[in-house]
Amino acid sequence: MPLGSKTLFWITAQIALLGSYGTSGEEVCDSPLVSNLPPSSFRSSSHLSSSHGPGFAKVNRREGAGGWSPLSSDRYQWLEVDLERRTQITAVATQGRYGSSDWLTAYLLMFSDTGHNWRQYRQEGSIGAFPGNSNADSVVQYKLQQSVIARYLRLIPLDWNPIGRIGLRLEIYGCPYTSDVASFDGSSSLLYRMTPRPSRTAREIISLKFKTLRNSGTLLHAEGQREHSLTLVLEKGKLLLHLQQGLSLSSGSQHVVSLGSLLDDQHWHHVEVERLSAHLNLTVDKNTQQFHIPAELSHWEIHQLSLGALQNHGSQRSVSSKRNFHGCLENLVYNGFNLIALAKQNSHQVTVSGNVTFSCAEPISVAVTFTGSQSFLQLPGATAWSSGVISVALQFRTWNKAGLLLTFDLPQQQGVAWLYLSEARLCLQIHKGGKALLELSAGSGLNDGQWHSVELRSRQDRLTIAVDKDEGATTHTSTSFPITTGSHLFFGGCPAEESSQECRNPFKSFQGCMRLLTLDNQPLNLIKVQQRLLGNYSHLQIDMCGIIDRCSSSHCEHEGRCTQSWSTFHCNCSNSGYRGATCHSSIYEQSCEVYKHKGNVSGHYYIDVDGSGPIKPQLIYCNMTEEKTWMVIQHNNTELTRVRSSPEGNQHSAHFDYSSEEEQLADIISQSEHCEQELSYHCRRSRLLNTPEGSPFSWWVGGPGPGQVQTHWGGGLPGSHQCACGLQDSCLDPKHYCNCDADYDQWANDSGLLTHKETLPVRSLVLGDIQRPRSEAAYRVGPLRCHGDKNFWNAAFFDKETSYLHFPTFHGELSADISFLFKTTASSGVFLENLGIRDFIRIELSSSTEVVFSFDVGNGPLEVRVEASVPLNDNRWHSVRAERNVKEASLRVDELPAATQEAPADGHIHLQLNSQLFIGGTASRQKGFLGCIRSLQLNGVTLDLEERAKITPGVRPRCPGHCSSYGLLCQNQGRCVERSNGFSCDCSLSAYTGAFCHREVSASFKSHTSISYTFKEPYELSRNSSALPFSIYSDMTLRGENISLSFRTSQSPALLLYVSSFYREYLALLISKHDELEVRYKLHKSRAAEVLGSRVRNLANGKLHTITIRRLADTVSVQIDHNPREDFNLTSDIEFNAIKSLVMGRVHDSKLDPELASLASLGFTGCLSAVHFNSISPLKAALLHPDSPVIITGPLAQSSCGSSTPANPYAAETTHSLSDQSGSVDPGQPLVNAIRSDSALIGGVIAVVIFVAVSALAITARLIYRRKETYQNQEVKGVQPGDGPEFPFNSQADSHNASSENQKEYFI
């Protein structure tokens, strides 16, 4: 059987003598133990001849036939060595039989104290097989990862030389082991009274070993001076640690911790309880759990300690076990004192109750393990059963919900009986001719890994099945026929080669352990079964229970719930926020930036800042309405808070609790490009910072962890003792550095943003000058706001195949996830590689369409491949995510289905790497990657590629060219613009706005609202009235229009849009009195307007409707909502000459055609949204760009009325205003009421008058300037038809609008 190369390589290096055992300073424990043993210390399953006996199996000896060989070479053979006493075993060496072709290539090791109840040694907790020899002469030695203490060792061959047979010589290395042992029978105990100590100690340790067959019992109970108690209790095979203060739960506090599983297996288990001040470490075998204990439980001061039972002077504690301990304790040491040794010495401090013996009396219990689907045990039935009296009993333990326990034929009824597990319940079925004559069930939850007893009894006409006797359930029924069995009973399953009808199993085979099998109350001798002297069996492990609790030290991460079957475990990741076989990978993104990149809008999102790391995801508001994407973290008081003078107290303090946990706050601040927090202080006779003696009146605490005291204010610099006005030299009193320090009897404020990340967030605030009469103040600490994800755009460009970046070794022993984005034009290249002695991990582009994830953890190389249907070397960004854990490996590329590869059930699980991590290449500098790698994360930690690239030849920081991948995110004719670190969407040619030009621009119109967009004024005409009209306007000609808008109204008739020209031609969109759309074209002043009427009705129903109109020459198409497109033809003319203006709402034009004049005077009442005329967005220009050639009359308000979905309820949540001039006196009290001072009111009125005057002058100057502009016309050329949203249009109106609407919204 091939084994992992990792172990083989390591063992080869150990063929020389063993080094010292343990750490430096410990006694060497590597003495050979077998060479001096007598022949009687060796036993075997069989031997080929007397000269091949087990006594000849000594390394480098040639006696007899030169080693041991069994009678037959199969996996049921074994060689056993009795070391004559319990011994510490540290290594094992094997050698083939001298002068032969007989040697082992793989084997198992078993250990025991009694020669029964064997325990298999496993590497890394799961691997059972050891590699053997490659010839008959060399000695291969294996040093055990964990030493074993046992008297007996049994070696079981698994594989051997295929051209030879089993042949073995053996050596065992170790040293003597001494211990003090006490045995308790369930009614005995030891009580120790401790000598008082003069002082407390910061460290206390209790350590012991125990072994038992009972799954419940009190191991140890300790009592302190102040009614403190500590109890170690075994409950259902798990160890519980109780810490308690007081006599009962109602009178004190209690702390309970559980660790370990299957501890009732009659093997030694190590327990250690260590207290380090307020921290407690509980260790069971190799697993340690650390936790913090309350202050009242952190000092034990133990004065009494009992073993085997709970003794506390008769007072009834709330912590107690159902039973006293029944088993053995070894080497119980408390703070260096061996308490069992004291008891053996008859110390006066020890009281012995009951029968306590100082040796371990172990009951013999032979178990059998059913390992798989081919396992079965066949036994003969009792002779007395032909009378109809049947009694079968057994105990079992398993993790499986289903499996056959027992089956036998019923010859008199020509039927069959099945006793089996189904959905973890015990069931009995009796079948005849394919029909169920009888069905019974009892018990539940029998797959919990505990031992459960089962009894089947039949007497005459009564049939009974019982589970767990008194503690379980019993079911019985009457039968109309006697139950008699055939000649055989089959346990666990049926023989695979059985062709007769003697054994039939329609159920799953049993996987688990059985023991205490009895027939008619007579125990069955399973050792005789093992010796082939009784019954028959296959694929069984006899005299051991091989059950493993794979959930005890659970590999399920992030609080995933572990469940298991006999051979594997499963992680339920529901409600954890993580996914994958071990709940390793987060289902949430790491920042608002990433959510925005995926096209999301503002709202609350779960953010997992460290991906698969330990920090839990938190719900955070992402504000994507602005140019930047803000993460907004709220705290318990973001409102403006009033503070009044208080004679009782000299200070007012406030503490701020944030919605995010401390670790998440630190990570958010660290990975963001910029963070800020508003800090405002509004004051009236309340000073802020500058006291006469220099110490501040007020301060705040901010920064990571508990924070540090900060003495600057919003807008100031750390350590400056200043406010914003102090830095700007604009404070009210030049002698002070804050407005409030002027101490005026009127309202002022000091407000600003704290932007130094090392001082954020604000954790608490202390205000000192509030106790004087008439002192009034208010403060506001805004939410923490951060933007920019430094990790998301972190990239490097590799321009040579021999170039690479190197980082420290990647540590992902049990779980490793790697994610990144790449783009390239090369057809192959290695993205990432990390090597160990034999282990490795690598991700590469193997071809233009395939990505390969390969690794080796000691079980041989494995590969996971994803094949794409399109080339991946298209110079666009592609995402890769690889994960490897103890269950499986997976690889996902873009949105393609993930490829997975299951890990071996009992293989190596630790990935052991030791070289540098290579990015973009390999250690051999071959197969290097050409292209860009971005946002590379390993187990949630981002590698800073840019910083490393700055100092690495052949690699450049950052990587432009994002629009090829993300350009489609720019919607509604938005244009993608490259940036050095990201991209932006230019919405200047779109009727929409927002980060991706996705947010409609809407406005509510009243009947007298009017928006007039002027394309160009006739400057030439006004200056030279004698010029011919056609010479002036002939170049301003449209041969087509592309119009789109949305509206919502209940008015009919109504004019939606009106476009006029200097030649009294026009285009009008209106709703008729029949609630239908009419498009009116008048393209010749001497002809009547052509009316194009749509057949779509009910357009004035108050619902949102979208209209798209396209004209090319004489062809006009109209589409309303999702209705079919309607086509029309014009007959009068095809040219729209010298367009003048576009009007929405009421039209103020005295030269309107009479038929439009009455309609235009009504105006429009309703909502207009996303109005687009060729490349011009007049509504957007009116609302967002006041410098555009737009005239607005009447009320106009931007709204979300054009949205088909409800308005975002969080849109205003992160909109906060600060004082524009922190140096100005507030125009009134900016607090929770509207009290104003007279001087402030006067100042406010003066400011308004000045503003109105300046605005009037600016408007007058603009009108004068516009009349002086040069008017130039351009003709539309080369117009082509198309169904897309864009229409080729080139005019002076276009270029003018483009320059005035140069709005870019960046995505960083």
Side-chain angles (χ1 to χ4, degrees), residues 427-503:
C427 300
L428 174 67
Q429 284 192 22
I430 295 179
H431 273 236
K432 178 181 179 181
K435 296 182 179 180
L437 299 180
L438 183 146
E439 293 187 24
L440 293 177
S441 65
S444 62
L446 301 180
N447 66 327
D448 57 358
Q450 302 296 312
W451 284 109
H452 296 283
S453 63
V454 174
E455 187 174 5
L456 168 65
R457 297 192 305 272
S458 173
R459 294 182 179 275
Q460 301 302 327
D461 59 350
R462 186 176 181 84
L463 184 63
T464 303
I465 56 172
V467 179
D468 294 337
K469 297 182 179 179
D470 298 336
E471 299 178 359
T474 301
T475 303
H476 54 82
T477 186
S478 298
T479 60
S480 59
F481 51 87
I483 303 296
T484 60
T485 71
S487 57
H488 294 99
L489 303 176
F490 292 88
F491 294 86
C494 292
E497 68 279 2
E498 189 69 44
S499 58
S500 67
Q501 298 298 312
E502 190 175 6
C503 183

Side-chain angles (χ1 to χ4, degrees), residues 1198-1258:
Q1198 185 175 358
S1199 72
S1200 58
C1201 61
S1203 174
S1204 58
T1205 57
N1208 185 357
Y1210 311 113
E1213 188 172 316
T1214 57
T1215 303
H1216 308 295
S1217 60
L1218 296 174
S1219 175
D1220 292 331
Q1221 296 182 0
S1222 57
S1224 64
V1225 178
D1226 245 0
Q1229 180 180 352
L1231 303 176
V1232 292
N1233 54 40
I1235 301 175
R1236 298 173 180 264
S1237 65
D1238 295 337
S1239 59
L1241 180 61
I1242 295 171
V1245 172
I1246 293 173
V1248 170
V1249 171
I1250 294 173
F1251 176 79
V1252 171
V1254 172
S1255 299
L1257 289 174

Side-chain angles (χ1 to χ4, degrees), residues 875 886 1124 1251:
N875 206 29
V886 298
F1251 176 79

Side-chain angles (χ1 to χ4, degrees), residues 296-349:
E296 64 270 15
L297 299 176
S298 62
H299 298 288
W300 294 351
E301 301 178 7
I302 294 175
H303 68 86
Q304 176 177 294
L305 191 149
S306 60
L307 304 181
L310 191 150
Q311 298 185 19
N312 51 12
H313 304 293
S315 61
Q316 185 61 42
R317 294 266 181 177
S318 61
V319 178
S320 63
S321 175
K322 298 178 182 177
R323 307 182 184 92
N324 292 336
F325 179 68
H326 193 292
C328 302
L329 297 180
E330 178 182 71
N331 290 347
L332 193 150
V333 178
Y334 171 59
N335 288 345
F337 295 97
N338 190 323
L339 303 187
I340 296 179
L342 289 177
K344 290 169 65 176
Q345 298 166 7
N346 297 319
S347 170
H348 69 279
Q349 294 179 265

